[in-house]
Amino acid sequence: MVAFRRRRTPPPLPIRDGLNPSRARVPEDSTLTALEFLNHLISSQRHRHPEDNSDAILNRFHAGDVRLRDGRALAPDDTLRPGTDVWFYRTPAPETPVPHEIRIIHEDERILVVDKPPFLATMPRGEHITETATVRLRRHTGNNDLTPAHRLDRLTSGVLLLTKKPEIRGAYQELFSSRQVTKTYEAIAAYLPDLAAACAETDSGVEWRSHITKTPGELQARTWPEREPNAHTTLLGVQQIGNSGQGAYTLRPHTGKTHQLRVHMSAAGVPIEGDPLYPVVSRKEEDFHRPLRLCAIGLEFTDPISGEEREYWV
């Protein structure tokens, strides 16, 4: 059993329609009015709604939707000192709907476990805001407290666990960050007899270790052979899929580097089917009917609240 963590001070604006309010800090070398600051933030958005114009910005002030941390609503001509935090709502740009549904695997009073489809991001980020598992599920359930305890890449499908109450969120997130969860993935790729034979010769599987880094803004992660490994994956087994020339690769990551399984599969000579980044970047338009064939098929852990053993599979 674990003690609940103390809740952080909630933001001065509530979650609205599944979306958290945004927070921005006035630069240290600037003194601006609230209107000037918000105009700058909205106009510099990379993915901006075409109707989020000057009238829409003013309407935020009239509705009391631009606030300081203490909850005070700002007026357009209020002067903001350097370092001031301001809370407001962004208006998401239109997004292409992802034509896949989220399937519920398990639900109780504390957690919601779902099968996330490919092409749906876990949480809002960049150009993917409303087409995310978090926002969709909040809107579907009416529970704005739903928060993922971990993350799956947008193109990866499979088991995703969300918490339903703020006071227990930290316990489950710590479970994942401290690597106390056993994760199992399945990847579909060309069948490589040598890898299948190597797995068959050992009870523990084939170990892949490398040093992987991912720089924001760069599409591919990089590997550094001369550096100490920071990414570890076990290939548990390979099953040939009929006469298709494909194989089902069962993978167990022990670390959580970005694109880790995709990098390791590609380095082993079996890039995952549908991967637009490895071994080379594809410039083709995204096709919802040709997903990355990587699925998080299982989660196993000891529940941090009840102490019971849990496992969920797709």
Side-chain angles (χ1 to χ4, degrees):
M1 301 291 286
V2 301
F4 292 157
R5 291 185 176 182
R6 182 179 298 176
R7 290 185 60 181
R8 297 178 180 177
T9 303
L13 290 169
I15 295 171
R16 175 182 291 176
D17 198 24
L19 294 169
N20 292 70
S22 295
R23 182 185 66 176
R25 178 164 295 177
V26 179
E28 293 296 337
D29 58 351
S30 301
T31 300
L32 303 167
T33 67
L35 180 59
E36 288 172 334
F37 185 48
L38 203 60
N39 264 321
H40 168 72
L41 293 173
I42 301 301
S43 64
S44 61
Q45 272 187 239
R46 184 177 178 185
H47 305 286
R48 180 181 179 182
H49 196 288
E51 297 179 2
D52 201 2
N53 52 29
S54 57
D55 288 339
I57 292 173
L58 278 173
N59 286 338
R60 287 176 170 86
F61 288 99
H62 298 328
D65 287 341
V66 186
R67 295 180 178 265
L68 298 176
R69 178 174 288 280
D70 63 8
R72 180 168 68 88
L74 289 168
D77 57 355
D78 282 343
T79 299
L80 301 176
R81 295 181 177 179
T84 300
D85 285 334
V86 176
W87 298 79
F88 65 101
Y89 293 109
R90 294 186 186 271
T91 302
E95 299 176 42
T96 302
V98 175
H100 303 303
E101 298 299 320
I102 304 174
R103 182 175 67 89
I104 294 177
I105 298 172
H106 168 82
E107 183 175 10
D108 58 37
E109 70 279 4
R110 293 192 298 271
I111 63 173
L112 177 66
V113 184
V114 302
D115 181 3
K116 185 192 82 67
F119 300 105
L120 202 63
T122 298
M123 298 183 68
R125 184 179 181 184
E127 62 185 298
H128 306 291
I129 304 298
T130 57
E131 287 301 296
T132 60
T134 300
V135 173
R136 271 201 190 182
L137 288 167
R138 283 175 175 176
R139 291 176 174 179
H140 175 73
T141 64
N143 181 2
N144 280 329
D145 288 329
L146 277 177
T147 302
H150 61 117
R151 185 179 66 88
L152 290 177
D153 287 345
R154 176 174 170 268
L155 297 185
T156 304
S157 60
V159 186
L160 178 68
L161 186 150
L162 301 95
T163 60
K164 299 174 69 174
K165 302 176 182 179
E167 61 268 22
I168 55 94
R169 182 180 305 157
Y172 288 92
Q173 290 177 337
E174 173 64 23
L175 201 66
F176 284 87
S177 64
S178 60
R179 302 175 187 170
Q180 298 180 58
V181 178
T182 299
K183 304 176 183 179
T184 305
Y185 287 74
E186 181 181 79
I188 306 300
Y191 179 70
L192 195 61
D194 288 349
L195 276 178
C199 286
E201 291 174 359
T202 174
D203 293 332
S204 57
V206 174
E207 306 297 334
W208 291 334
R209 292 181 173 87
S210 60
H211 191 103
I212 298 175
T213 61
K214 176 70 167 63
T215 301
E218 294 185 1
L219 295 177
Q220 289 185 323
R222 296 184 180 184
T223 56
W224 305 86
E226 70 279 8
R227 297 184 183 180
E228 189 73 19
N230 64 357
H232 177 199
T233 301
T234 300
L235 173 62
L236 295 174
V238 185
Q239 184 70 39
Q240 189 171 12
I241 303 175
N243 297 317
S244 65
Q246 295 179 321
Y249 292 75
T250 303
L251 305 166
R252 180 153 295 162
H254 304 285
T255 52
K257 295 299 178 182
T258 301
H259 296 180
Q260 175 177 318
L261 299 181
R262 299 163 68 178
V263 170
H264 279 167
M265 286 286 288
S266 181
V270 281
I272 301 171
E273 182 180 322
D275 196 332
L277 297 182
Y278 303 95
V280 295
V281 176
S282 170
R283 301 298 179 182
K284 294 181 180 179
E285 185 176 351
E286 195 166 71
D287 183 351
F288 288 139
H289 300 291
R290 293 182 61 83
L292 173 71
R293 300 293 300 277
L294 177 63
C295 181
I297 61 173
L299 285 181
E300 302 170 76
F301 59 92
T302 302
D303 191 282
I305 307 300
S306 67
E308 67 181 299
E309 297 301 318
R310 292 182 181 257
E311 59 178 271
Y312 302 104
W313 300 85
V314 294

